[in-house]
Amino acid sequence: HVSEYGYIANNFPLRAKEIKTGAMEAVAKNNVVVIESTHEGGKTGENYRIIKNAMENQGRELEPLDFRFFFFSWHRQREYRIEKSEPLGRTELDGYFKELANMGIELDDAQKRWYLAKYKVLGDSIKQEYPSTPDEALSSQIEGAIYGNIISRIRSQGQVAASFETDPYAPLYVS
């Protein structure tokens, strides 16, 4: 049983490599390796590679050494609710809740209240700690990313354009 491998892989990559090449390799093929973790570090690192491998195994018959992917979303937990009698009204996360609805994830007001309360404490880290989908879990912001919080916020509010018309004669600066 490996707990918080995502944290280890993000903060101590050499330890994560040693766990993978040492401890996991010591497990016999008829035994089970359980890795439970909140993912950290974006789309890099040992934890990410193991998760992606397990995700690619979905829907096929597994061999004894294959990893099986499990994902437990916050919105499927019955206790993640704040019940009140009055309707919720407009919130700063309406765009995010609409994105979820477009993916078939319908939330009631009690769930939205709970998520909003957690968002007030965690800020943008909420998607790392309480992801709604596996892809969201893997797209967690890398600590120290310049403008990461700002980009995440404007993306969730639909303010990042998918395409735009370019002026071939104007200078283009990319950083």
Side-chain angles (χ1 to χ4, degrees):
H1 178 242
V2 181
S3 182
E4 294 303 335
Y5 192 61
Y7 175 84
I8 295 167
N10 187 46
N11 294 288
F12 308 101
L14 292 176
R15 286 184 189 169
K17 185 176 179 186
E18 179 56 29
I19 290 169
K20 185 181 81 170
T21 60
M24 288 185 201
E25 285 300 304
V27 177
K29 78 173 185 175
N30 293 326
N31 294 102
V32 176
V33 172
V34 176
I35 301 171
E36 57 83 16
S37 185
T38 301
H39 180 65
E40 295 183 27
K43 296 181 178 181
T44 63
E46 297 295 336
N47 189 58
Y48 178 74
R49 282 190 277 285
I50 289 173
I51 290 171
K52 286 303 285 182
N53 179 273
M55 288 174 78
E56 290 167 4
N57 289 336
Q58 291 181 99
R60 69 176 189 83
E61 189 173 330
L62 300 180
E63 300 295 327
L65 299 178
D66 288 337
F67 282 102
R68 180 183 310 261
F69 181 73
F70 293 91
F71 177 75
F72 303 98
S73 177
W74 71 272
H75 56 82
R76 294 181 185 252
Q77 308 304 313
R78 289 185 201 160
E79 66 272 18
Y80 291 174
R81 310 172 58 76
I82 297 176
E83 302 287 350
K84 288 188 177 177
S85 57
E86 68 271 2
L88 182 60
R90 294 185 51 90
T91 74
E92 60 189 301
L93 295 178
D94 284 346
Y96 174 68
F97 295 144
K98 186 176 180 180
E99 284 177 31
L100 293 180
N102 290 340
M103 291 186 270
I105 300 171
E106 294 290 338
L107 305 175
D108 60 33
D109 282 356
Q111 290 173 301
K112 291 176 184 178
R113 274 191 207 92
W114 181 89
Y115 194 85
L116 281 160
K118 289 295 182 179
Y119 178 75
K120 287 176 185 173
V121 173
L122 296 170
D124 293 325
S125 295
I126 192 165
K127 290 183 179 181
Q128 174 183 306
E129 298 300 321
Y130 297 101
S132 298
T133 66
D135 288 335
E136 186 176 282
L138 295 176
S139 66
S140 65
Q141 188 176 301
I142 297 173
E143 191 69 33
I146 299 172
Y147 303 121
N149 292 339
I150 295 167
I151 298 296
S152 293
R153 185 180 70 247
I154 64 174
R155 184 174 284 132
S156 71
Q157 295 171 348
Q159 296 177 346
V160 175
S163 62
F164 59 91
E165 183 112 7
T166 59
D167 179 348
Y169 301 105
L172 177 65
Y173 300 97
V174 179
S175 60

